[in-house]
């Protein structure tokens, strides 16, 4: 059961995090002081330090909030594991980013010397690698590329497209951009560019060491 104290803590966290996001987008992370953040949030400086060590800790707290909000960040991972690659986890990320665009802009721009972005990427990458491993074990398949490489490539692609999408008026809805990423993952870049395997000589040849050449 949530107490009045819990509610006050949540309100304080929300106020401080909203203040940080607003101020970062106005003037940049490095130009900010704790005093400015506390003043914008309408809390005492001592209250800030009762919850966060410094502004970097506050920024990382925002990232961890996104990760801990399982219902909105990656709510369909388990479902995707049993139904194949549905794209649902990606769709929820884009929908969440659509709702929290300003927060994602702060994170994806690499504010705070990139620590928040690295944390965000690492959280997604760790979960993605776990999903790929579990899915391969369930299906009894052996990966052709190591799971850590697959997960980092997948995460890098997602972060790149997500950054572009939240920073620009791309005219693609969350569902449309998810569909494109899903098809790219399933069918590959050669297919996506309109080519056929025969149009890309050597692209599908096995490495020389494996082919016996």
């Amino acid at each position: 059961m949530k107490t009045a104290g819990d509610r006050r803590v949540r309100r304080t966290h929300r106020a401080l995090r909203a203040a940080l996001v607003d101020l970062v987008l106005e003037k940049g992370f490095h130009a900010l002081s704790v005093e400015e953040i506390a003043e914008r949030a309408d809390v005492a400086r001592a209250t800030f330090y009762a919850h966060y060590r410094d502004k970097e800790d506050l920024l990382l707290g925002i990232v961890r909030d996104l990760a801990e909000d399982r219902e909105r960040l990656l709510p369909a991972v388990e479902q995707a594991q049993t139904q194949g690659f549905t794209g649902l986890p990606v769709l929820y990320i884009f929908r969440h980013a659509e709702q929290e665009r300003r927060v994602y802009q702060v994170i994806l721009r690499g504010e705070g010397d990139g620590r928040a972005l690295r944390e965000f990427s690492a959280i997604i990458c760790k979960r993605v690698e776990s999903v790929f491993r579990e899915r391969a074990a369930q299906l009894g398949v052996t990966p052709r590329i190591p799971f850590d490489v697959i997960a980092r490539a997948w995460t890098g692609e997602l972060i790149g497209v997500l950054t572009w999408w939240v920073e620009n008026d791309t005219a693609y809805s969350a569902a449309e951009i998810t569909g494109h990423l899903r098809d790219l993952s399933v069918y590959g870049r050669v297919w996506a560019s309109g080519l056929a395997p025969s149009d890309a000589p050597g692209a599908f040849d096995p490495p020389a060491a494996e082919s016996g050449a």
Side-chain angles (χ1 to χ4, degrees):
M1 181 176 179
K2 300 295 184 182
T3 66
D6 293 332
R7 290 193 292 273
R8 284 195 295 271
V9 168
R10 292 199 303 274
R11 282 197 300 269
T12 299
H13 285 184
R14 285 197 299 269
L16 287 169
R17 292 173 185 184
L20 177 68
V21 169
D22 288 345
L23 287 167
V24 168
L25 292 177
E26 288 175 17
K27 58 191 299 184
F29 184 80
H30 291 295
L32 293 181
S33 67
V34 168
E35 288 78 5
E36 288 176 294
I37 298 169
E39 182 178 357
R40 178 66 66 91
D42 195 24
V43 301
R45 188 169 178 268
T47 300
F48 178 98
Y49 286 114
H51 296 274
Y52 300 102
R53 293 189 304 275
D54 48 34
K55 63 182 184 179
E56 286 80 7
D57 189 35
L58 172 57
L59 179 58
L60 290 176
I62 292 175
V63 176
R64 289 162 187 158
D65 265 4
L66 295 181
E68 290 170 2
D69 189 359
R70 306 300 300 181
E71 289 299 315
R72 303 182 73 184
L73 183 60
L74 289 174
V77 168
E78 288 74 19
Q79 182 179 355
Q81 284 179 269
T82 58
Q83 295 184 4
F85 189 77
T86 64
L88 287 175
V90 178
L91 177 60
Y92 274 80
I93 289 175
F94 275 90
R95 284 182 172 168
H96 189 233
E98 191 170 43
Q99 297 166 359
E100 304 286 350
R101 185 176 295 269
R102 290 166 63 81
V103 175
Y104 277 81
Q105 285 174 335
V106 168
I107 295 170
L108 296 172
R109 287 177 185 179
E111 296 285 355
D113 294 326
R115 287 182 62 194
L117 177 56
R118 289 193 295 274
E119 177 101 357
F120 181 71
S121 300
I123 289 169
I124 292 179
C125 189
K126 181 179 180 181
R127 183 55 180 155
V128 166
E129 182 174 347
S130 174
V131 168
F132 281 132
R133 289 184 183 277
E134 291 169 10
R135 184 180 298 157
Q138 289 173 354
L139 298 176
V141 298
T142 301
R144 297 183 177 89
I145 298 175
F147 285 118
D148 54 354
V149 175
I150 297 172
R152 280 157 182 77
W154 191 95
T155 301
E157 185 173 86
L158 173 66
I159 295 296
V161 175
L162 184 60
T163 301
W164 167 71
W165 191 74
V166 300
E167 291 285 3
N168 299 278
D169 182 11
T170 67
Y172 297 109
S173 68
E176 288 171 333
I177 202 69
T178 297
H180 292 318
L181 287 174
R182 181 192 61 235
D183 290 346
L184 184 60
S185 291
V186 172
Y187 301 113
R189 291 176 177 80
V190 172
W191 171 88
S193 63
L195 299 174
S198 59
D199 297 323
F204 292 86
D205 292 341
E210 296 181 13
S211 62

